[in-house]
């Protein structure tokens, strides 16, 4: 009797699997027929779980919003519908190649992403071998595009960002003896920290490295060292999740010096989680939503807020509010636009043709500024915003233009 | 170059972390003592307790949500035992352990699915997180409360095990599973009680841990779970005082290693190296009983 039931259960499960498979196949067919079989696939390579999930989801929102603005491309006089395919790299360099492989096997023409340099570096060679161009959103480590003809990037890079923050710390905040808190083994954290340190030393200051391990939650020992050694500034290029813990544990330990970081910290959840402990926080960012001189940016801010407010899932992915705009969201938007313009310029969905189009691409007036790529495939950027946290909100502090 | 305040601060954070490991380690060690099962899902029960708090405190006050979280955590622990371990009671020990690993992954992925993989802010329990100034030190209340609470809970637990009927039943079952069954001990209720105690302590640990660090994420249970497991083995798995002392030693050592820039990256490596060394030199741990296999 028991065996019979077991067999029956197994049979039911097997059948339900077959049924599911059949249904999803139908769904695909419907999709294709609705759009007249003309589809170009763009892969989204982003973390939707793990420590960078909050950032990854905000970039995906930017990409999806851009897709809602420009859902089709024209190739050779014919309209193609853009189909977005998402693969989760789980914020983990070990899992990133699998996600990249998923996108490659689905036959995407271009890949957009990712948040977090470690995952971009881990997957870069796969895209190169498959001859699929990838457009990095906010992965700022130079190694992402270096020696890789197929990786491009719309954001500024860490040597620039590191220099901006070191100058800011040294000259504006008078932090000449900084503690540099970095996550060991993380490409973004170590790389960015290193450029900060170099520039700091060039300016005659000092930055001492204090390392912690991935997944660490207790920073009280590091804070004890910071307090005991009397550093006058903390520079912590770390993930959003870690940021909130570093800020609150530093302030709890009675450390009052400025805490500085890079682009990752432009995320409202840090302000939400740290509450009134978020004082004297400064970080560089790609974009300022309140900048009235940026025409494209203004239109984006209005359109994006309304688009997010339409849907509860979007609001949740945007950090529980439709009002805040993280500066990685425009990076997602710009990367999508770059991809679409490149496909149109190439007049083809072939990876090599799109790559060639990207090399000579020149798009004026995108949200984070005019877009063209240098010989490494990096966007030519000389502009950064420095933001701070005030009364639980992220606000503009100063602009760096050099 | 460092002053005394610095070392006291390190010691305090080591003791706090150690006592949190201790609360989790007791769950491992008790279940092992009775079922000879390493309950790999224990770290994830701890994580789930964190998420219970996040969701419950969104609608209830802390006075209601803290007991509710503890009750739910206990229910979850007992349910896991009934669903995933009890049907395998007569199966080889390896099957139960694989089932435990399965439960662990199930809980992690369930939490990832429900939360969308993003860390959630833990409600601020101001009573615990208030910072006090003592001399040159800034000390959170939680740093003092955690070790005291741990010691009190362990003392109660030891009394429970040594002086009560259910405690006697537990000791009997951990000695000899089958004979105690023959002697009329209701084995299922003893095992349920073990999971009740283990999950309750994991729930208490989760409140103290997440109140201190401010956020919960789906994978956060793995590391404290592993460290607590090492602590349990270090102290002699099956022994409660052993688990507590093992946890304190690991917490304090970690704290001092992390404070030294040159070797900070090895703090996790140290813990696991310790596990290997203790298994090689003293396989039964510091306080483990040497079992003689009877033929």
């Amino acid at each position: 009797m028991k065996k019979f039931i077991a067999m029956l259960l197994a049979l039911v499960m097997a059948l339900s699997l077959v049924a599911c498979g059949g249904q999803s196949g139908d769904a695909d067919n419907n999709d294709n027929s609705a759009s007249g079989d003309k589809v170009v696939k763009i892969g989204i390579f982003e973390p939707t779980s793990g420590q960078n999930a909050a950032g990854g989801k905000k970039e995906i929102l930017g990409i999806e919003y851009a897709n809602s603005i420009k859902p089709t491309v024209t190739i050779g006089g014919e309209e193609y519908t853009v189909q977005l395919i998402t693969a989760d790299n789980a914020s983990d360099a070990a899992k990133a190649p699998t996600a990249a492989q998923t996108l490659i096997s689905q036959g995407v023409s271009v890949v957009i992403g990712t948040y977090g340099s470690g995952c971009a570096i881990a997957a870069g060679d796969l895209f190169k071998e498959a001859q699929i161009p990838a457009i990095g959103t906010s992965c700022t480590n130079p190694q992402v595009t270096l020696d890789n003809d197929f990786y491009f990037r719309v954001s500024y890079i860490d040597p620039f960002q590191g220099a901006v923050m070191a100058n800011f710390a040294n000259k504006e905040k008078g932090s000449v003896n900084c503690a540099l808190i970095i996550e060991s083994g993380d490409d973004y954290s170590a790389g960015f920290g290193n450029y900060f340190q170099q520039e700091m030393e060039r300016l005659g200051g000092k930055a001492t490295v204090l390392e912690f391990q991935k997944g660490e939650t207790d920073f009280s020992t590091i804070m004890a060292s910071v307090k005991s050694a009397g550093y006058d500034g903390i520079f912590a290029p770390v993930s959003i999740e870690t940021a909130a813990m570093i800020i609150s544990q530093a302030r709890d330990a009675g450390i009052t010096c400025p805490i500085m970081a890079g682009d990752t910290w432009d995320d409202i959840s840090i302000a939400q989680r740290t509450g009134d402990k978020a004082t004297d926080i400064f970080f560089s960012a790609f974009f300022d939503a309140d900048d009235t001189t940026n025409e494209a940016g203004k239109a984006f801010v209005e359109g994006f807020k309304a688009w997010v407010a339409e849907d509860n899932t979007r609001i949740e992915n945007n950090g529980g509010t439709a009002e805040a705009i993280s500066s990685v969201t425009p990076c997602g938007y710009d990367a999508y636009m770059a991809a679409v313009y490149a496909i149109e310029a190439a007049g083809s969905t072939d990876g090599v043709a799109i790559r060639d189009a990207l090399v000579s691409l020149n798009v004026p007036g995108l949200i984070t500024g005019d877009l063209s790529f240098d010989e490494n495939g990096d966007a030519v950027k000389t502009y950064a915003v420095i933001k701070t946290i005030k009364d639980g909100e992220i606000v503009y502090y100063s602009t760096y233009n050099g | 170059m460092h002053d005394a305040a610095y070392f006291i601060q390190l010691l305090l954070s080591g003791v706090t972390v150690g006592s949190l490991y201790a609360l989790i380690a007791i769950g491992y060690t008790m279940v092992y003592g009775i079922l000879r099962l390493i309950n790999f899902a224990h770290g994830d029960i701890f994580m789930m307790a964190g998420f219970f708090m996040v969701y419950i405190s969104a609608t209830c006050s802390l006075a209601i949500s803290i007991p509710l979280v503890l009750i739910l955590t206990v229910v979850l622990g007992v349910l896991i035992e009934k669903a995933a371990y009890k049907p395998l009671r007569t199966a080889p020990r390896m099957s139960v352990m694989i089932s435990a690993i399965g439960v662990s992954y199930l809980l992690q992925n369930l939490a990832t699915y429900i939360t969308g993989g993003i860390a959630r802010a833990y409600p601020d329990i101001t009573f615990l997180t208030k910072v006090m100034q003592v001399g040159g030190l800034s000390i959170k209340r939680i740093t003092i409360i955690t070790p005291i609470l741990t010691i009190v809970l362990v003392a109660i637990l030891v009394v429970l095990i040594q002086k009560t009927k259910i405690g006697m039943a537990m000791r009997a079952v951990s000695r000899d599973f089958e004979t105690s069954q023959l002697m009329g001990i209701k084995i299922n209720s003893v095992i349920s009680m073990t999971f009740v105690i283990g999950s309750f302590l994991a729930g208490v640990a989760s409140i103290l841990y997440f109140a201190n660090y401010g956020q919960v994420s789906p994978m956060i249970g793995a590391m404290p779970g592993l460290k607590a497991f090492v602590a349990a083995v270090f102290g002699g798995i099956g022994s409660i005082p052993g688990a507590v002392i093992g946890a304190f030693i690991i917490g304090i050592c970690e704290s001092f290693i992390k404070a030294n820039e040159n070797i900070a990256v090895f703090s996790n490596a140290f813990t696991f190296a310790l596990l290997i060394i203790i298994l090689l030199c003293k396989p039964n741990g510091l306080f483990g009983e040497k079992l003689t296999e009877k033929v």
Side-chain angles (χ1 to χ4, degrees), chain A residues 42-49 52-68 84-90 103 112-115 137-138 300 304 307-308 313-314 317-318 326-336, chain B residues 116 118:
Chain A
I42 295 184
I44 302 179
F45 177 64
E46 289 281 1
T48 56
S49 62
N52 291 335
K57 289 190 176 191
K58 292 193 178 73
E59 284 185 2
I60 294 178
L61 281 176
I63 297 167
E64 287 174 346
Y65 174 66
N67 179 247
S68 75
L84 296 174
I85 298 173
T86 310
D88 176 18
N89 62 36
L103 291 175
I112 300 173
T114 175
Y115 184 101
T137 41
S138 64
F300 168 78
F304 182 76
W307 180 80
V308 169
T313 324
R314 289 176 197 159
N317 287 344
N318 199 39
S326 160
S327 74
V328 297
T329 307
C331 290
Y333 180 96
D334 281 359
Y336 176 85
Chain B
I118 301 179

Side-chain angles (χ1 to χ4, degrees), chain B residues 64-140:
Chain B
I64 303 171
S65 40
I66 290 177
L68 208 56
V69 164
L70 294 177
I71 293 168
L72 273 177
T73 314
V74 166
V75 170
L76 178 72
V78 174
L79 268 183
I80 288 172
E81 194 273 320
K82 296 273 183 248
Y85 307 149
K86 196 181 167 198
L88 295 171
R89 193 123 318 148
T90 51
R93 223 184 280 163
M94 189 57 84
S95 311
V96 194
M97 204 154 98
I98 291 169
S99 180
I101 295 173
V103 172
S104 162
Y105 278 100
L106 177 73
L107 291 179
Q108 284 179 10
N109 286 299
L110 193 71
T112 309
Y113 178 75
I114 293 170
T115 60
I118 301 179
R120 295 295 157 117
Y122 203 72
D124 191 18
I125 306 175
T126 36
F127 170 70
L128 293 174
T129 52
K130 208 162 170 25
V131 178
M132 304 176 297
Q133 298 291 340
V134 183
L137 295 169
S138 304
I139 302 170
K140 269 192 192 176

Side-chain angles (χ1 to χ4, degrees), chain B residues 230-231 233-236 249-250 253 257 266-286:
Chain B
V230 175
V233 175
F234 184 69
I249 292 176
I250 287 179
C253 288
I257 290 174
F266 298 114
S267 69
N268 288 345
F270 161 79
T271 310
F272 298 117
L274 193 68
L275 175 66
I276 296 171
I277 293 168
I278 199 84
L279 284 176
L280 288 176
C281 303
K282 210 168 182 308
N284 294 315
L286 288 181

Side-chain angles (χ1 to χ4, degrees), chain A residues 7 11 42 68 70 108 152 238 262 294 298 319 358 374 401:
Chain A
M7 285 287 284
L11 207 67
I42 295 184
S68 75
K70 198 163 170 37
V108 297
F152 296 81
V238 297
N294 182 347
K298 240 164 58 181
L358 277 167
D374 66 9
N401 222 333

Side-chain angles (χ1 to χ4, degrees), chain A residues 48-51 53-54 57 95 184 208-222 224-229 231 240-245 248-249 251-255 272-273 277 316-317, chain B residues 1-3 6 9-10 13-14 17 112 114-122 124 129 131 133 136-140 209 212-215 217 220 223 254-256 258-261 264-269:
Chain A
T48 56
S49 62
Q51 64 176 354
K57 289 190 176 191
K95 291 178 186 155
S184 68
T208 310
V209 176
L210 302 171
E211 274 183 282
F212 67 91
Q213 288 188 303
K214 187 186 172 80
E216 183 60 82
T217 51
D218 189 277
F219 295 91
S220 54
T221 52
I222 288 184
S225 302
V226 170
K227 203 174 175 191
S228 167
Y231 296 114
I240 297 169
E241 281 191 20
T242 316
M245 290 187 278
S248 51
Q249 291 182 33
R251 295 304 179 230
D252 283 344
I255 296 167
Q272 288 164 349
R273 276 177 216 164
K277 287 172 191 158
E316 194 180 327
N317 287 344
Chain B
M1 70 184 251
H2 295 299
D3 51 358
Y6 170 74
Q9 192 89 54
L10 291 190
S13 60
V17 173
T112 309
I114 293 170
T115 60
I118 301 179
R120 295 295 157 117
Y122 203 72
D124 191 18
T129 52
V131 178
Q133 298 291 340
L137 295 169
S138 304
I139 302 170
K140 269 192 192 176
Y209 187 91
N212 197 5
Y213 302 130
Q215 55 192 1
S217 61
I220 206 154
M223 219 7 124
E254 258 189 5
S255 173
F256 278 92
K258 279 196 286 194
N260 185 328
E261 298 85 275
V265 282
F266 298 114
S267 69
N268 288 345

